[in-house]
């Protein structure tokens, strides 16, 4: 994933489990240090990563 601030590369520093199906990934930019939080929905049973709904 690229940084929304400077388009640099980001690294996942922490994955937070939430109560709902899915996780929040905390990413930090390697270039400008911006902290980004991205919510990723858990896959439905039998769903393949990258599948288009």
């Amino acid at each position: 994933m690229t940084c929304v601030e400077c388009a640099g590369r980001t690294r996942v520093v922490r994955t937070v489990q939430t109560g709902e199906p899915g996780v929040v990934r905390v990413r930090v930019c390697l270039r400008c240090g911006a902290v980004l939080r991205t919510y990723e929905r858990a896959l439905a049973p039998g769903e393949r990563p990258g599948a288009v709904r």
Side-chain angles (χ1 to χ4, degrees):
M1 183 177 159
T2 56
C3 176
V4 292
E5 301 287 332
C6 71
R9 295 195 36 84
T10 60
R11 182 170 63 92
V12 175
V13 289
R14 194 163 64 239
T15 300
V16 182
Q17 291 291 334
T18 57
E20 60 232 41
V23 294
V24 173
R25 295 203 196 277
V26 180
R27 300 170 184 269
V28 66
C29 178
L30 301 174
R31 188 190 295 171
C32 72
V35 176
L36 312 167
R37 282 188 160 78
T38 55
Y39 175 75
E40 296 178 19
R41 187 182 56 79
L43 294 174
E47 189 179 7
R48 290 193 314 277
V52 178
R53 281 188 171 276

